């Protein structure tokens, strides 16, 4: 059962941290909910690739790519890994590629946009840090919700299991 972001805003008020409406829906699903797994990386998708091969049941991959439009942080191969490993969704403060394939995959993918350029692999990036994306701080373990109306986060301390 998907919990609507509008209902969460009504229930939690200012505690429901709404992200700025800057993301495009690029997967076949518009909605996700799950605990945030945060990744901070800049034009290097090494950590994203590693995480995509781990069990993701009940988790949302939250990628702070610094908003760079110079390359895509992942495409169809990583997205297929995420689906295969049960991830609930992906939020990317950056760009992705292979849009035609992404929109056929049964996962919610929200990103700033698409570009054909691939990222580098320098084995850089950090997992588990708090990141600031679209005007909100998101910590590892915070509860993420997204649907057609937007994306919001409930701090883990609030009991984001509404």
């Amino acid at each position: 059962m998907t919990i609507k972001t509008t209902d969460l805003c009504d229930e939690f008020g200012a505690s429901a941290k709404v992200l700025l409406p800057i993301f495009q829906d690029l997967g076949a699903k518009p909605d996700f909910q799950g605990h945030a797994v945060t990744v901070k990386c800049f034009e290097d998708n090494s950590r994203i690739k590693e995480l995509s091969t781990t069990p993701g049941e009940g988790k949302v991959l939250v990628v702070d790519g610094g908003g760079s439009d110079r390359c895509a942080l992942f495409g169809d191969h990583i997205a297929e890994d995420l689906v295969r490993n049960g991830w609930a969704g992906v939020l990317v403060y950056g760009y992705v590629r292979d849009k035609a394939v992404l929109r056929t995959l049964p996962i919610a993918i929200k990103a700033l946009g698409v570009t054909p350029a691939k990222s580098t692999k320098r084995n850089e990036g950090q997992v588990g840090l708090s990141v600031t994306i679209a005007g909100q701080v998101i910590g590892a373990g915070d509860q993420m919700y997204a649907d057609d109306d937007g994306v919001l986060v409930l701090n883990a301390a609030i009991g984001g299991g509404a």
Side-chain angles (χ1 to χ4, degrees), residues 25-96:
D25 286 319
L26 298 166
K29 291 178 59 181
D31 58 333
F32 60 66
Q33 64 185 56
H35 294 285
V37 175
T38 59
V39 179
K40 188 173 180 89
C41 57
F42 187 75
E43 299 180 358
D44 180 341
N45 71 353
S46 300
R47 299 288 89 79
I48 298 167
K49 177 61 178 166
E50 289 169 4
L51 286 167
S52 73
T53 63
T54 64
E57 192 64 38
K59 298 176 188 170
V60 174
L61 185 59
V62 177
V63 179
D64 180 357
S68 174
D69 60 3
R70 294 189 299 208
C71 67
L73 289 172
F74 72 85
D76 58 347
H77 295 258
I78 289 177
E80 288 167 350
D81 284 344
L82 291 164
V83 169
R84 191 171 18 263
N85 288 296
W87 286 80
V90 189
L91 178 72
V92 183
Y93 185 56
Y95 287 69
V96 297

Side-chain angles (χ1 to χ4, degrees), residues 3-162:
I3 299 170
K4 295 169 69 171
T5 56
T6 52
D7 293 341
L8 290 167
C9 284
D10 292 349
E11 180 179 348
F12 289 98
S15 295
K17 301 185 294 185
V18 177
L19 278 64
L20 296 171
I22 58 175
F23 299 99
Q24 296 180 30
D25 286 319
L26 298 166
K29 291 178 59 181
D31 58 333
F32 60 66
Q33 64 185 56
H35 294 285
V37 175
T38 59
V39 179
K40 188 173 180 89
C41 57
F42 187 75
E43 299 180 358
D44 180 341
N45 71 353
S46 300
R47 299 288 89 79
I48 298 167
K49 177 61 178 166
E50 289 169 4
L51 286 167
S52 73
T53 63
T54 64
E57 192 64 38
K59 298 176 188 170
V60 174
L61 185 59
V62 177
V63 179
D64 180 357
S68 174
D69 60 3
R70 294 189 299 208
C71 67
L73 289 172
F74 72 85
D76 58 347
H77 295 258
I78 289 177
E80 288 167 350
D81 284 344
L82 291 164
V83 169
R84 191 171 18 263
N85 288 296
W87 286 80
V90 189
L91 178 72
V92 183
Y93 185 56
Y95 287 69
V96 297
R97 66 189 205 161
D98 301 312
K99 181 178 178 178
V101 175
L102 297 184
R103 77 178 111 190
T104 69
L105 297 175
I107 187 170
I109 301 169
K110 296 186 183 286
L112 296 179
V114 296
T115 182
K118 70 178 183 175
S119 72
T120 59
K121 288 199 179 18
R122 297 180 305 272
N123 206 28
E124 295 177 357
Q126 298 168 293
V127 176
L129 299 177
S130 288
V131 296
T132 301
I133 296 176
Q136 300 296 343
V137 175
I138 303 168
D142 284 351
Q143 187 71 17
M144 301 294 302
Y145 296 90
D147 59 20
D148 286 325
D149 288 319
V151 181
L152 67 81
V153 60
L154 292 175
N155 182 281
I158 294 172

